[in-house]
Amino acid sequence: ALWGIQDRVGTLRNALLEMTKRQEHLFKKCWKEQELEWDKEDAQLMGCKEAIERSPEDWEKEWADLVQRAATDYAYLAQIHLFILAHVIRRPIIVFAPTEQQHSPCRFRGVYLPVGWQDPDNCEKAPIMLAYESSHFVPLVCHLSAWPPMRREDWPLI
């Protein structure tokens, strides 16, 4: 429903899958770095000295699962999919979400920038803004007279 209509043929989902496969080296590296950071945060929250180590096979299995979810209609998508989607549409995505959801960290909140594009002039500057609550995204629309809603330096970057 990105364009205000239901995408019944999965055009956006197909583009997400294609970009995921075509630029796997970029997205997989970013995903793994972010996961390692979150593993450290989780370890600290649980009072562990070190994060749990994942084997190379575990990393590959998790990545394959993420690619499969990008290919499957109505499958749950993860944060990396939003990052990839920002590249597909060449536009920033800002997600507002609580820091915690059902007693676990909610990690969808943040700013997803299409930093993988070589020429940022080919990207739309105005972001898509979404709210995330109870495993659902809701589009947020700002009245033009209120734009921009905050100063640029007030936005946390991911």
Side-chain angles (χ1 to χ4, degrees):
L2 179 67
W3 298 286
I5 59 171
Q6 185 176 357
D7 184 12
R8 294 175 194 247
V9 294
T11 304
L12 199 55
R13 179 74 70 144
N14 292 337
L16 175 68
L17 177 61
E18 182 64 30
M19 180 70 80
T20 302
K21 289 179 176 179
R22 190 170 359 124
Q23 297 293 327
E24 180 175 329
H25 62 282
L26 168 70
F27 297 128
K28 191 175 185 180
K29 179 179 181 274
C30 293
W31 164 75
K32 188 174 179 180
E33 288 172 1
Q34 186 63 64
E35 287 290 317
L36 287 168
E37 282 299 313
W38 285 336
D39 287 351
K40 288 177 191 174
E41 289 177 18
D42 290 345
Q44 288 177 343
L45 286 173
M46 293 186 294
C48 299
K49 292 180 182 177
E50 293 182 13
I52 296 173
E53 296 267 338
R54 300 186 212 187
S55 70
E57 295 81 20
D58 288 339
W59 285 111
E60 289 302 318
K61 184 178 176 184
E62 286 184 47
W63 181 255
D65 179 60
L66 289 167
V67 173
Q68 180 60 39
R69 285 194 269 160
T72 307
D73 286 340
Y74 305 107
Y76 166 79
L77 297 178
Q79 297 84 350
I80 188 64
H81 295 112
L82 283 176
F83 182 62
I84 297 169
L85 182 61
H87 287 77
V88 169
I89 63 175
R90 297 181 186 188
R91 190 171 183 178
I93 299 172
I94 299 173
V95 179
F96 297 90
T99 55
E100 195 174 283
Q101 188 169 328
Q102 299 173 350
H103 307 295
S104 64
C106 178
R107 294 191 164 121
F108 277 104
R109 65 183 289 200
V111 178
Y112 298 84
L113 299 173
V115 295
W117 283 105
Q118 299 298 330
D119 185 5
D121 291 334
N122 287 330
C123 296
E124 173 64 40
K125 304 296 187 261
I128 291 178
M129 295 189 291
L130 304 170
Y132 181 78
E133 178 67 36
S134 302
S135 300
H136 293 284
F137 291 96
V138 179
L140 301 175
V141 180
C142 183
H143 192 278
L144 288 177
S145 66
W147 187 258
M150 295 172 59
R151 296 183 321 242
R152 176 178 236 156
E153 57 271 9
D154 291 337
W155 292 102
L157 294 177
I158 292 182

